[in-house]
Amino acid sequence: MDAARLMPWLAERFGPDRLLTEPGQLAPYESDALTAFAVTPRAVVLVQSADEVIDTVRICRDTAVPFVARGSGTSLSGGSVPVEGGIVIALNRLNRVLKLDPDQRIAVVEPGVTNNAVTDAAQPFGLFYAPDPSSQQICTIGGNVAFNSGGAHCLKYGMTSNHVLAIKAVLADGDIVEMGSDSLESVGPDAVGLFVGHEGLFGIALEITLRLVPRPEAYHTVLIGYRSTAEAGDAVAKIIATGLLPGALEIMDRLALDAAEASVNADFPPGAQAVLIVELEGAHEQVAVERQQLTQIIDQTNPTQVNVAADAAQRLAIWKGRKCAFSAVGQLSPDYIVQDGVVPRSRLGEALQRIEELADAHQLRCANVFHAGDGNLHPLILYDGRQSGAMHRAEQLAAEILTMCIEMNGSVTGEHGIGVEKREFLPRMFSEHDMTVMRRLHHAMDPAGVANTGKMLLPEPAEQSAAAMQSA
Amino acid sequence: MPAHPTTIDEVSQCVLDHPHVLPRGANTKPALSRTNADVTPLDLTAVRGVSAYDPGEFTITALAGTTLQEIAQTLNEHGQWLPFDPPLADAGATIGGTVAAGLSGPGRLRFGGVRDFLVGVRFIDGQGKLVRGGGTVVKNAAGFDLPKLMIGSLGRLGILVELSFKVFPKPESFTTLRVDAPDLDAAIDLICRLTSEPWDLHALDLEPPATLYLRLAGEPASLPQRIARLSDTIDHPAAALTDVDGPTWWDDANAFTWAPADTALVKVPLTPKRIAALDAHLESAGATRRYAAAGNVAWIAWPSAAPLDGLDQHLSADQLSGLVIRGDAQRIRLGVDPARPFMQRVKTALDPTHRFPDFS
Ligand SMILES: Cc1cc2nc3c(=O)[nH]c(=O)nc-3n(C[C@H](O)[C@H](O)[C@H](O)COP(=O)(O)OP(=O)(O)OC[C@H]3O[C@@H](n4cnc5c(N)ncnc54)[C@H](O)[C@@H]3O)c2cc1C
């Protein structure tokens, strides 16, 4: 590392307003939404143009100082935590929608544009950007691309990757690369597909071409109360088995409902131990028929209550109650871990049962709110960090839940990524050679190991253990 | 002499036994599996069979040499299908070849292409070692997205041996509307308008000069009204095809039966607004062509008498890329290839000893 050369270069290039080095200025950048990990960066630069990003990457390469690209820092896996001794390249000011072509349904954006800003720009044309992470008000497209982020509506339309058409990026060694085009189709290997989900290890996306979709003509959104999470899970299996293809299928358990109620005044069925949210969408006539089918299925699942959204406002209220769940859990507990794992969707009931048993064994409370249609679980493990050993027990529980996901042939992450948090788990899902191939791909893009190094892939000789990063 | 492995282990052994290899399936896309004398073809058609299918889970895993027909039959028993409408099924195309070629059919318009449904891969890399990416669950963000990388990899990054897909319920019925626009510009305008509106079109193909075929899918009771409402918004002559003619038209489209025998078949991704310029070139060159997936891909039957260099130059001038699927070409890529520098890095990482041919 040759930071002695780097700092004066940054000072000259960015000036005191856009080069942050004071402890008070750096504090907000020490962690992301997974607060258990914190590292104070050497400096933060607030970039305002793609050229500034490129030049900063190149000086980092030349001086061997690691960098971490940062959008809004909402990563839940430690993805945007700084690297020891490295700098943070903050991209929020690169927030322009560069082009919007409603006829061909394409938006070209800078990486710091927020997810919601894309939909806002598309709205006047009856279009929207489909992937909808609960953090969509603040998270950036750059972050979404790095993590292949999902959301409640990915069941039908897929994740971020399914909506990115082209990317221009600076690789970690300073080369500028382009991939993809404006077209939905492509020839040759799917370079865009490989880049999405790279977790910041390949370099920095500078320009992203997104696909927009027409807003559905009709929605039918229902919130159904059940006496147990297992009953809600069984209802999901029944709905899927009939051949309906809902836009979203989400479950919240009692604890998650308590949190949401405390936070946004949501109107959930009293006494229900779990709710299932089902949303049908599409052409009026199609939705009208599917709606009848859905009603028939729900009648057979012994619900405690069925609330149908009568208008757009009620629909939004249901979604607000769902999407606030992560942050609302803060109302129930001083500390919590948001987990993210995937199991085969036909084994959801079994997985939930197991999570409950594991939580009981650790004497911890665990709220569940998840993308049931995809089998993507989000157990929220509540603990009080002031109690000695509590955090350790919470981490232990999280690890046991992930182990269960692996044993069920699922995945340790559906959408939040590996980051720092799950590096030890990746080699348990993949063979040694699979890991070698991933390392080689990483090395091909970042020979000097400066881009978000140490994330996703454990440092090769275990120079830096997770414990060492855990200075918080 | 082609090698004929029958198991994954044998594929691996074949890679180690030969200095240069290129996999092939049923040879329905012969331009992609043509080999020079120093390259041994690996015939994967015996590495076949559905490895796992769980209808309740809506996922299927099959060995690479499994035919699309076999997969379609297996899924159909449970009212399911691969929504990306893979082409050349009737000709015997395999699932491995479909993924390696990166091909989707007209129905890709509604829910996405092959890249949107592949969730897991196993392949043999240049060192003869088995690599796995993704998994068998429908959502998975663990590790680099190798399944996506292998879409369109043309057997040049590794030999696909097993693939896992998420599948969807198959729509109960379909209706096709034929629209005769007055000219190409009007047809393109209509494509842009219809795809910006929530009609949930299942497929939308353009047959030059100006005939559009629109397909809706869904619940039978609701289709007539959806078609009627859609037709009402269209100013040009429109007529629904019969229940026989409709499916036949799409089957023919997906089998490329419209492409004259004596031509090279080329895939060119594009957007609706770039059709007009390309189409003028193609018309003067005497090439038969269709524009599928709402103007997102041109399928070009380029006359064998004319060298492909001519098409290559047009594509480069228009900043378009092409892939030769069938025909005598000595090359498979035409036009521009902006992702080449990125992909060259990937190629070096996965196949450092050049066991597989280059992309050109
Ligand atoms: C309350 C809450 C709810 C959430 N809900 C969801 C959800 O429903 N679904 C979901 O998938 N996630 C969810 N998340 C997680 C998070 O919002 C996503 O991972 C999001 O994509 C991160 O975006 P960001 O802008 O905050 O990125 P950051 O956290 O700043 O960065 C994330 C990663 O991306 C890299 N990165 C950022 N920009 C670039 C770039 N331009 N080029 C290359 N790499 C870059 C960073 O280095 C880092 O590794 C939630 C988070 C919170 C706090």
Side-chain angles (χ1 to χ4, degrees):
Chain A
M1 249 186 248
D2 186 7
R5 240 179 83 211
L6 173 75
M7 293 309 290
W9 186 93
L10 292 177
E12 193 182 324
R13 182 75 194 245
F14 293 98
D17 288 349
R18 297 197 290 124
L19 173 65
L20 315 182
T21 53
E22 297 299 322
Q25 294 175 311
L26 299 178
Y29 297 91
E30 283 173 358
S31 28
D32 55 25
L34 175 61
T35 50
F37 298 97
V39 172
T40 306
R42 184 185 299 276
V44 175
V45 290
L46 310 177
V47 292
Q48 283 176 348
S49 70
D51 281 344
E52 287 183 352
V53 178
I54 295 164
D55 292 346
T56 307
V57 166
R58 287 178 178 165
I59 189 83
C60 284
R61 169 202 62 192
D62 292 345
T63 56
V65 173
F67 64 85
V68 175
R70 187 175 176 108
S72 296
T74 66
S75 160
L76 286 165
S77 56
S80 36
V81 173
V83 174
E84 200 74 54
I87 67 164
V88 170
I89 303 179
L91 300 166
N92 287 87
R93 296 186 181 189
L94 292 180
N95 61 358
R96 288 175 304 163
V97 174
L98 300 172
K99 177 179 148 189
L100 198 135
D101 179 344
D103 288 338
Q104 303 191 99
R105 293 167 295 126
I106 293 159
V108 182
V109 304
E110 292 183 326
V113 168
T114 62
N115 176 294
N116 238 18
V118 181
T119 285
D120 286 347
Q123 183 95 28
F125 307 100
L127 303 170
F128 75 113
Y129 178 61
D132 61 338
S134 302
S135 51
Q136 69 196 118
Q137 306 274 1
I138 42 172
C139 67
T140 64
I141 294 298
N144 293 175
V145 164
F147 271 149
N148 191 15
S149 301
H153 289 84
C154 291
L155 181 58
K156 195 165 181 174
Y157 293 107
M159 317 275 289
T160 298
S161 196
N162 308 105
H163 298 267
V164 176
L165 299 176
I167 294 171
K168 180 178 168 191
V170 53
L171 294 182
D173 64 2
D175 276 9
I176 316 286
V177 291
E178 288 179 39
M179 51 196 91
S181 75
D182 287 356
S183 176
L184 291 178
E185 276 290 331
S186 62
V187 291
D190 193 339
V192 171
L194 176 65
F195 195 91
V196 177
H198 70 111
E199 298 203 8
L201 268 65
F202 289 173
I204 300 185
L206 301 170
E207 234 178 75
I208 302 133
T209 304
L210 303 171
R211 173 165 91 91
L212 305 171
V213 291
R215 198 162 273 290
E217 213 171 48
Y219 288 106
H220 174 66
T221 312
V222 207
L223 188 146
I224 311 145
Y226 288 100
R227 287 175 190 81
S228 72
T229 322
E231 280 182 19
D234 291 345
V236 168
K238 283 208 177 89
I239 292 168
I240 292 183
T242 52
L244 281 176
L245 191 59
L249 268 175
E250 302 277 307
I251 291 180
M252 296 169 79
D253 72 1
R254 185 65 249 170
L255 209 48
L257 295 175
D258 287 344
E261 276 169 354
S263 161
V264 294
N265 209 344
D267 183 21
F268 293 117
Q273 289 308 303
V275 301
L276 167 63
I277 299 170
V278 188
E279 184 160 278
L280 302 171
E281 37 135 280
H284 286 300
E285 299 88 349
Q286 176 81 17
V287 171
V289 177
E290 289 184 351
R291 175 182 179 150
Q292 289 174 0
Q293 293 172 345
L294 180 66
T295 308
Q296 275 173 13
I297 305 165
I298 294 172
D299 284 349
Q300 296 161 17
T301 58
N302 198 19
T304 61
Q305 191 172 328
V306 181
N307 297 352
V308 177
D311 54 30
Q314 289 186 8
R315 170 177 180 260
L316 284 184
I318 289 178
W319 282 115
K320 196 168 165 201
R322 161 63 186 88
K323 291 195 175 179
C324 78
F326 286 0
S327 41
V329 166
Q331 310 258 356
L332 297 184
S333 169
D335 300 289
Y336 63 99
I337 299 176
V338 179
Q339 256 312 338
D340 169 39
V342 185
V343 297
R345 42 196 165 176
S346 48
R347 294 177 72 183
L348 270 179
E350 190 187 335
L352 291 167
Q353 178 69 36
R354 184 91 188 103
I355 291 174
E356 199 177 314
E357 288 162 12
L358 291 171
D360 284 350
H362 287 282
Q363 294 177 319
L364 287 167
R365 289 190 298 165
C366 182
N368 282 291
V369 37
F370 55 97
H371 311 304
D374 303 308
N376 187 189
L377 302 166
H378 287 318
L380 303 164
I381 301 167
L382 315 189
Y383 69 97
D384 183 348
R386 291 164 305 191
Q387 287 176 6
S388 85
M391 176 166 159
H392 179 70
R393 275 188 294 132
E395 286 180 334
Q396 195 65 38
L397 172 57
E400 287 169 14
I401 293 174
L402 294 178
T403 301
M404 173 197 77
C405 292
I406 297 172
E407 285 168 0
M408 290 175 100
N409 262 327
S411 175
V412 296
T413 170
E415 54 183 20
H416 295 170
I418 298 293
V420 187
E421 192 201 10
K422 295 179 179 170
R423 295 179 303 178
E424 282 84 3
F425 289 90
L426 199 60
R428 292 178 52 192
M429 274 182 70
F430 291 103
S431 75
E432 214 175 296
H433 186 62
D434 298 338
M435 295 303 299
T436 303
V437 167
M438 286 195 233
R439 280 184 198 290
R440 280 203 206 127
L441 284 170
H442 175 215
H443 188 73
M445 308 304 161
D446 182 13
V450 286
N452 213 3
T453 176
K455 309 292 174 66
M456 188 201 288
L457 305 169
L458 277 168
E460 211 145 7
E463 306 153 344
Q464 221 178 8
S465 70
M469 289 197 73
Q470 235 164 287
S471 49
Chain B
M1 276 293 286
H4 296 276
T6 58
T7 63
I8 294 176
D9 283 345
E10 285 176 18
V11 175
S12 161
Q13 194 55 49
C14 286
V15 170
L16 294 175
D17 288 347
H18 300 92
H20 302 290
V21 294
L22 183 68
R24 76 158 60 136
N27 216 20
T28 59
K29 300 168 274 283
L32 300 180
S33 44
R34 182 170 304 116
T35 47
N36 294 333
D38 62 336
V39 178
T40 308
L42 286 196
D43 177 344
L44 277 245
T45 49
V47 185
R48 68 182 290 172
V50 172
S51 332
Y53 173 40
D54 183 350
E57 193 59 29
F58 284 74
T59 53
I60 191 165
T61 299
L63 293 171
T66 315
T67 61
L68 295 173
Q69 281 169 332
E70 181 178 343
I71 292 178
Q73 274 160 18
T74 307
L75 293 174
N76 198 39
E77 281 167 27
H78 295 270
Q80 301 178 5
W81 71 336
L82 295 171
F84 58 90
D85 201 9
L88 294 165
D90 293 345
T94 64
I95 191 67
T98 302
V99 169
L103 300 189
S104 309
R108 67 97 60 229
L109 182 64
R110 180 68 185 103
F111 292 112
V114 52
R115 78 186 298 267
D116 301 301
F117 289 89
L118 184 70
V119 297
V121 288
R122 296 210 288 161
F123 63 91
I124 304 294
D125 69 8
Q127 293 178 303
K129 290 189 178 160
L130 184 65
V131 181
R132 189 169 66 85
T136 54
V137 278
V138 296
K139 199 169 175 185
N140 191 350
F144 296 132
D145 197 341
L146 298 185
K148 292 259 180 351
L149 173 64
M150 298 313 281
I151 305 277
S153 57
L154 304 170
R156 269 91 175 153
L157 292 179
I159 300 180
L160 292 166
V161 289
E162 193 178 64
L163 306 115
S164 299
F165 293 89
K166 67 171 177 177
V167 301
F168 273 180
K170 188 173 180 177
E172 276 180 68
S173 60
F174 298 86
T175 308
T176 300
L177 191 70
R178 178 194 154 121
V179 177
D180 289 300
D183 54 35
L184 184 62
D185 286 344
I188 293 167
D189 285 349
L190 189 56
I191 289 177
C192 289
R193 174 172 76 76
L194 292 178
T195 49
S196 303
E197 295 172 353
W199 296 108
D200 292 348
L201 294 178
H202 181 82
L204 170 52
D205 278 18
L206 163 62
E207 189 179 13
T211 307
L212 291 170
Y213 291 83
L214 286 66
R215 199 173 202 201
L216 287 183
E219 211 287 322
S222 68
L223 273 182
Q225 209 183 333
R226 284 173 64 196
I227 278 283
R229 205 151 53 84
L230 175 61
S231 318
D232 281 350
T233 71
I234 299 174
D235 297 333
H236 318 307
L241 299 194
T242 68
D243 288 349
V244 175
D245 291 352
T248 305
W249 196 87
W250 294 106
D251 285 349
D252 287 351
N254 222 3
F256 303 105
T257 47
W258 53 268
D262 203 16
T263 56
L265 186 63
V266 184
K267 172 186 172 178
V268 175
L270 79 179
T271 57
K273 287 180 181 170
R274 304 177 75 172
I275 291 177
L278 177 66
D279 197 68
H281 291 315
L282 298 177
E283 175 68 26
S284 59
T288 313
R289 66 275 174 197
R290 285 206 178 160
Y291 302 96
N296 277 279
V297 58
W299 288 106
I300 301 167
W302 187 260
S304 298
L308 273 165
D309 289 350
L311 180 57
D312 179 51
Q313 282 157 17
H314 286 318
L315 294 180
S316 293
D318 288 353
Q319 292 293 301
L320 293 169
S321 322
L323 181 70
V324 185
I325 309 286
R326 280 197 320 224
D328 278 338
Q330 285 312 304
R331 49 201 292 208
I332 54 174
R333 288 297 304 261
L334 304 177
V336 297
D337 185 7
R340 171 72 57 118
F342 181 78
M343 215 24 85
Q344 206 51 56
R345 292 174 186 240
V346 173
K347 168 90 176 157
T348 309
L350 291 183
D351 182 24
T353 61
H354 286 270
R355 189 78 64 164
F356 312 118
D358 255 337
F359 284 106
S360 38

